[in-house]
Amino acid sequence: MVLLLFRPFPCSMKELSVANFGILIAYVLPGFTALWGASYFSETVQVWMGSPQADPPTVGGFLYVTLAAVGAGMTVSTVRWITVDTIHALTGLPHPRWDFSRLQEKVDGYDVLVKIHYHFYQFNANMLVAVPFLFAARGISLGWSSFFDVSLILAFLALEAIFFVGSRDALGKYYTRVAKLLGTEASEPAP
């Protein structure tokens, strides 16, 4: 009965949630975190982020924040690829060599593994990059001497540790389960 009240659109809320959840956690939330950091240096971004103003928020403002968050999230993801992916690979979690010739017959299973593991890896690893940017931007903006607070630094380090462990766990599960799904190619002989 309740579901019938909330079906004004041709597609269900479940379809919208499942289709967009991965993008939201992988790019929009880390991108929003990075924008929050940028707001310490840009009045325009401060207005987009909802700082007190005379005029109420607009649809255009929401659109700007959303598009900017996606763009910032993609940038954060690139930095993540350069740094966090490399750290994981160098510390015992290298990318396996999957046999993509089997992907066509296993694409539905592959999509499920991306949704339940890789998007969560992207969130954790992208936040591992975005939170230090926010922390540094806030410190620079407020002045490091007034910003230095042991409890805040410990909270920051704990959050970073959680994101690191979460990213490593999700990536390891993704690699292992996709390798089981697709199989791995034999390693190439050394020259």
Side-chain angles (χ1 to χ4, degrees):
M1 176 76 178
V2 174
L3 291 175
L4 295 174
L5 297 174
F6 295 104
R7 290 196 55 141
F9 301 106
C11 60
S12 73
M13 187 58 112
K14 180 180 176 187
E15 291 170 323
L16 289 173
S17 299
V18 170
N20 298 321
F21 184 70
I23 302 296
L24 176 72
I25 67 169
Y27 301 110
V28 177
L29 294 178
F32 185 81
T33 302
L35 276 182
W36 183 6
S39 73
Y40 287 101
F41 303 107
S42 169
E43 288 183 28
T44 302
V45 177
Q46 285 175 4
V47 170
W48 291 348
M49 300 292 283
S51 64
Q53 54 189 354
D55 299 327
T58 64
V59 173
F62 173 77
L63 180 62
Y64 286 143
V65 170
T66 304
L67 290 175
V70 170
M74 295 295 293
T75 304
V76 165
S77 193
T78 302
V79 174
R80 182 257 319 154
W81 166 71
I82 293 168
T83 58
V84 178
D85 289 13
T86 302
I87 290 168
H88 285 319
L90 293 174
T91 58
L93 199 55
H95 191 292
R97 294 182 41 122
W98 296 321
D99 181 4
F100 281 104
S101 67
R102 300 176 62 193
L103 181 61
Q104 184 64 36
E105 63 196 45
K106 310 268 185 171
V107 74
D108 290 337
Y110 181 78
D111 285 344
V112 168
L113 293 175
V114 167
K115 288 175 186 172
I116 65 172
H117 294 301
Y118 194 68
H119 288 314
F120 287 94
Y121 163 70
Q122 288 176 305
F123 168 75
N124 283 298
N126 285 348
M127 289 300 283
L128 191 62
V129 171
V131 168
F133 175 74
L134 170 61
F135 188 78
R138 184 173 166 87
I140 291 167
S141 174
L142 298 178
W144 287 109
S145 59
S146 65
F147 186 70
F148 188 78
D149 177 9
V150 174
S151 60
L152 183 62
I153 291 172
L154 290 175
F156 165 74
L157 293 174
L159 191 58
E160 286 296 285
I162 289 167
F163 287 139
F164 182 80
V165 170
S167 72
R168 192 163 182 88
D169 179 67
L171 186 63
K173 287 177 180 171
Y174 173 71
Y175 283 170
T176 301
R177 292 175 180 167
V178 172
K180 287 179 183 175
L181 181 74
L182 298 179
T184 54
E185 295 178 355
S187 11
E188 295 179 356

